[in-house]
Amino acid sequence: MTLREASKGVVKSGGGTYNIGFNGGDETQFDAQNLKELQECWSEFCKDEKISPGCVDYVERVS
């Protein structure tokens, strides 16, 4: 699923640390102020790692 779909009700404005699970077992973590910033981080990560941005399994807020 997309990051937007997986992050509904999870990502809040004001900043936080988020785990993104993807590809059925991989995970990465980003600090972001809001959904837009998290999407930018994810997009760059996907380009660098050559993975599809639509491979998100889940998004969880760590702090």
Side-chain angles (χ1 to χ4, degrees), residues 2-6 9 11 14-16 19 23 28 33-35 39 57 63:
T2 67
L3 181 66
R4 182 177 292 280
E5 292 168 328
V11 179
N19 289 336
N23 279 345
T28 190
Q33 291 297 314
N34 52 39
L35 180 56
Q39 286 178 305
D57 298 322
S63 63

Side-chain angles (χ1 to χ4, degrees), residues 1-5 21-23 42 46 51-57:
M1 77 184 89
T2 67
L3 181 66
R4 182 177 292 280
E5 292 168 328
F22 63 98
N23 279 345
W42 177 244
C46 290
I51 59 172
S52 167
C55 67
V56 177
D57 298 322

Side-chain angles (χ1 to χ4, degrees), residues 8-58:
K8 278 189 180 173
V10 178
V11 179
K12 305 195 185 306
S13 295
T17 301
Y18 298 94
N19 289 336
I20 300 175
F22 63 98
N23 279 345
D26 293 321
E27 187 176 80
T28 190
Q29 188 175 81
F30 299 105
D31 293 322
Q33 291 297 314
N34 52 39
L35 180 56
K36 182 180 179 197
E37 188 173 309
L38 187 60
Q39 286 178 305
E40 290 169 1
C41 293
W42 177 244
S43 178
E44 284 301 313
F45 177 80
C46 290
K47 284 181 193 174
D48 291 346
E49 299 297 318
K50 297 179 176 67
I51 59 172
S52 167
C55 67
V56 177
D57 298 322
Y58 63 87

